[in-house]
Amino acid sequence: MLVQKSARKVRAWCLGENSEMERQLLADGKLRREADGTYRVMSQENSTEGQAVPAGDYIKVDSSGAPYPNSREFFLQNHTHIEGDWYFQHSPVLKAWCRREKMCPEVEWLIGSGRLRIDENDPERYFNAVLWGAELHAAKDAVIIFNHRETPEDLASIGFRFITREEFDLTYRIVG
């Protein structure tokens, strides 16, 4: 299926700029600064180890209050600064897949290569992958969003992320 995140105003913060939100997330334990200057973002998909993120990347907060990272390159390509920590998000049409759909070539390749693992016995940790330097997991009803507009010629270059069904339903629309 093809999906697009609803165009909207979002708040975001560049890690390493000591913003009020960065300080609050550090105080709340949702963000951890490592000795080498990188960060660990305690996202919904990994709230124990966190996702490894370099300073200079951006974070946003999802509808549940959990932070999640955007690479600097992706963020700057898809957001326009309005003022302060407010940005307008321009979202491209992306390919997505959920378990109730027919298996697509990207998911077949990810499973075959070991980059995506399925745990049929655990509906809450059904999808598993190492992303952003951490083992992430998602429930059986999650959606996989691919970070490309069309199927890449080289499947090894596939980038993807998990989106909870609730967050998907709140922030994405199916366009094809």
mmCIF file of all heavy atoms in Angstrom, residues 8 16 22-23 33 40 59 63 69 71 77 89-90 121 138-139 143 159 176:
data_model
loop_
_atom_site.group_PDB
_atom_site.id
_atom_site.type_symbol
_atom_site.label_atom_id
_atom_site.label_comp_id
_atom_site.label_asym_id
_atom_site.label_seq_id
_atom_site.Cartn_x
_atom_site.Cartn_y
_atom_site.Cartn_z
ATOM 1 N N ARG A 8 1.115 18.556 8.381
ATOM 2 C CA ARG A 8 0.727 19.220 9.625
ATOM 3 C C ARG A 8 1.900 19.940 10.238
ATOM 4 O O ARG A 8 3.056 19.742 9.853
ATOM 5 C CB ARG A 8 0.177 18.204 10.605
ATOM 6 C CG ARG A 8 1.190 17.148 10.985
ATOM 7 C CD ARG A 8 0.547 16.002 11.742
ATOM 8 N NE ARG A 8 1.538 14.996 12.036
ATOM 9 C CZ ARG A 8 1.906 14.641 13.251
ATOM 10 N NH1 ARG A 8 1.364 15.185 14.295
ATOM 11 N NH2 ARG A 8 2.815 13.713 13.430
ATOM 12 N N GLY A 16 21.503 17.945 20.854
ATOM 13 C CA GLY A 16 22.798 18.580 21.064
ATOM 14 C C GLY A 16 22.695 20.086 21.193
ATOM 15 O O GLY A 16 23.703 20.746 21.471
ATOM 16 N N GLU A 22 14.884 18.792 25.166
ATOM 17 C CA GLU A 22 15.985 17.850 25.370
ATOM 18 C C GLU A 22 16.261 17.702 26.863
ATOM 19 O O GLU A 22 16.390 16.585 27.368
ATOM 20 C CB GLU A 22 17.244 18.332 24.643
ATOM 21 C CG GLU A 22 18.419 17.386 24.787
ATOM 22 C CD GLU A 22 19.654 17.836 24.017
ATOM 23 O OE1 GLU A 22 19.518 18.393 22.916
ATOM 24 O OE2 GLU A 22 20.768 17.605 24.533
ATOM 25 N N ARG A 23 16.320 18.820 27.576
ATOM 26 C CA ARG A 23 16.568 18.754 29.027
ATOM 27 C C ARG A 23 15.441 18.005 29.744
ATOM 28 O O ARG A 23 15.697 17.210 30.647
ATOM 29 C CB ARG A 23 16.741 20.167 29.592
ATOM 30 C CG ARG A 23 18.021 20.849 29.124
ATOM 31 C CD ARG A 23 18.316 22.148 29.861
ATOM 32 N NE ARG A 23 17.239 23.125 29.837
ATOM 33 C CZ ARG A 23 17.026 24.030 28.878
ATOM 34 N NH1 ARG A 23 17.852 24.083 27.839
ATOM 35 N NH2 ARG A 23 16.027 24.879 28.953
ATOM 36 N N ARG A 33 22.150 10.808 27.271
ATOM 37 C CA ARG A 33 23.355 11.258 26.559
ATOM 38 C C ARG A 33 24.494 10.310 26.914
ATOM 39 O O ARG A 33 24.755 10.034 28.079
ATOM 40 C CB ARG A 33 23.705 12.682 26.961
ATOM 41 C CG ARG A 33 24.720 13.332 26.055
ATOM 42 C CD ARG A 33 24.951 14.779 26.419
ATOM 43 N NE ARG A 33 23.944 15.223 27.364
ATOM 44 C CZ ARG A 33 23.419 16.435 27.417
ATOM 45 N NH1 ARG A 33 23.814 17.345 26.607
ATOM 46 N NH2 ARG A 33 22.523 16.749 28.313
ATOM 47 N N ARG A 40 20.701 8.165 23.336
ATOM 48 C CA ARG A 40 19.824 7.004 23.305
ATOM 49 C C ARG A 40 18.411 7.546 23.489
ATOM 50 O O ARG A 40 18.107 8.174 24.498
ATOM 51 C CB ARG A 40 20.148 6.009 24.418
ATOM 52 C CG ARG A 40 21.427 5.243 24.194
ATOM 53 C CD ARG A 40 21.165 4.131 23.227
ATOM 54 N NE ARG A 40 22.398 3.465 22.834
ATOM 55 C CZ ARG A 40 22.423 2.409 22.070
ATOM 56 N NH1 ARG A 40 21.301 1.884 21.610
ATOM 57 N NH2 ARG A 40 23.557 1.864 21.730
ATOM 58 N N ILE A 59 14.538 14.992 17.039
ATOM 59 C CA ILE A 59 13.551 14.159 17.711
ATOM 60 C C ILE A 59 12.214 14.869 17.664
ATOM 61 O O ILE A 59 12.128 16.098 17.657
ATOM 62 C CB ILE A 59 13.925 13.831 19.175
ATOM 63 C CG1 ILE A 59 14.218 15.102 19.957
ATOM 64 C CG2 ILE A 59 15.040 12.832 19.258
ATOM 65 C CD1 ILE A 59 14.301 14.897 21.452
ATOM 66 N N SER A 63 2.075 10.731 19.553
ATOM 67 C CA SER A 63 0.829 11.040 20.259
ATOM 68 C C SER A 63 0.770 10.433 21.660
ATOM 69 O O SER A 63 0.023 10.907 22.507
ATOM 70 C CB SER A 63 -0.370 10.584 19.437
ATOM 71 O OG SER A 63 -0.321 9.196 19.226
ATOM 72 N N PRO A 69 13.272 9.392 16.789
ATOM 73 C CA PRO A 69 14.277 10.142 16.031
ATOM 74 C C PRO A 69 13.947 10.281 14.551
ATOM 75 O O PRO A 69 13.241 9.461 13.975
ATOM 76 C CB PRO A 69 15.532 9.289 16.206
ATOM 77 C CG PRO A 69 15.006 7.892 16.320
ATOM 78 C CD PRO A 69 13.686 8.005 17.033
ATOM 79 N N SER A 71 16.536 11.218 11.195
ATOM 80 C CA SER A 71 17.902 11.581 10.818
ATOM 81 C C SER A 71 17.901 13.031 10.345
ATOM 82 O O SER A 71 16.892 13.532 9.845
ATOM 83 C CB SER A 71 18.425 10.671 9.704
ATOM 84 O OG SER A 71 17.770 10.972 8.479
ATOM 85 N N GLN A 77 14.982 17.474 4.711
ATOM 86 C CA GLN A 77 14.337 17.306 3.406
ATOM 87 C C GLN A 77 12.820 17.378 3.496
ATOM 88 O O GLN A 77 12.165 17.693 2.512
ATOM 89 C CB GLN A 77 14.725 15.968 2.780
ATOM 90 C CG GLN A 77 16.123 15.907 2.255
ATOM 91 C CD GLN A 77 16.463 14.512 1.729
ATOM 92 O OE1 GLN A 77 15.705 13.560 1.868
ATOM 93 N NE2 GLN A 77 17.635 14.397 1.134
ATOM 94 N N GLN A 89 5.555 19.823 8.289
ATOM 95 C CA GLN A 89 6.033 18.548 7.786
ATOM 96 C C GLN A 89 5.457 18.292 6.395
ATOM 97 O O GLN A 89 4.248 18.292 6.212
ATOM 98 C CB GLN A 89 5.584 17.450 8.743
ATOM 99 C CG GLN A 89 6.042 16.083 8.370
ATOM 100 C CD GLN A 89 5.708 15.110 9.470
ATOM 101 O OE1 GLN A 89 6.131 15.276 10.598
ATOM 102 N NE2 GLN A 89 4.958 14.096 9.133
ATOM 103 N N HIS A 90 6.333 18.121 5.420
ATOM 104 C CA HIS A 90 5.950 17.760 4.053
ATOM 105 C C HIS A 90 6.284 16.284 3.898
ATOM 106 O O HIS A 90 7.448 15.923 3.929
ATOM 107 C CB HIS A 90 6.762 18.544 3.018
ATOM 108 C CG HIS A 90 6.817 20.008 3.280
ATOM 109 N ND1 HIS A 90 5.834 20.862 2.875
ATOM 110 C CD2 HIS A 90 7.738 20.768 3.914
ATOM 111 C CE1 HIS A 90 6.151 22.089 3.235
ATOM 112 N NE2 HIS A 90 7.293 22.060 3.878
ATOM 113 N N ASN A 121 4.838 -16.310 18.265
ATOM 114 C CA ASN A 121 4.367 -16.622 19.613
ATOM 115 C C ASN A 121 4.172 -15.403 20.500
ATOM 116 O O ASN A 121 3.694 -15.539 21.625
ATOM 117 C CB ASN A 121 5.347 -17.588 20.288
ATOM 118 C CG ASN A 121 5.431 -18.898 19.538
ATOM 119 O OD1 ASN A 121 4.418 -19.457 19.137
ATOM 120 N ND2 ASN A 121 6.647 -19.369 19.318
ATOM 121 N N ALA A 138 7.758 -4.479 17.527
ATOM 122 C CA ALA A 138 6.435 -3.896 17.357
ATOM 123 C C ALA A 138 5.395 -5.001 17.405
ATOM 124 O O ALA A 138 5.679 -6.163 17.110
ATOM 125 C CB ALA A 138 6.353 -3.150 16.029
ATOM 126 N N ALA A 139 4.202 -4.605 17.761
ATOM 127 C CA ALA A 139 3.095 -5.554 17.883
ATOM 128 C C ALA A 139 2.650 -6.071 16.522
ATOM 129 O O ALA A 139 2.974 -5.513 15.474
ATOM 130 C CB ALA A 139 1.925 -4.883 18.599
ATOM 131 N N VAL A 143 2.492 -1.305 11.506
ATOM 132 C CA VAL A 143 2.701 -1.089 10.078
ATOM 133 C C VAL A 143 4.187 -0.860 9.858
ATOM 134 O O VAL A 143 4.845 -0.182 10.654
ATOM 135 C CB VAL A 143 1.883 0.129 9.589
ATOM 136 C CG1 VAL A 143 2.127 0.396 8.112
ATOM 137 C CG2 VAL A 143 0.397 -0.079 9.864
ATOM 138 N N GLY A 159 15.457 0.827 3.745
ATOM 139 C CA GLY A 159 15.347 1.375 5.093
ATOM 140 C C GLY A 159 13.891 1.261 5.502
ATOM 141 O O GLY A 159 12.990 1.391 4.668
ATOM 142 N N GLY A 176 -3.002 4.769 -1.872
ATOM 143 C CA GLY A 176 -3.008 3.834 -3.001
ATOM 144 C C GLY A 176 -2.600 2.450 -2.603
ATOM 145 O O GLY A 176 -2.190 2.161 -1.543
#
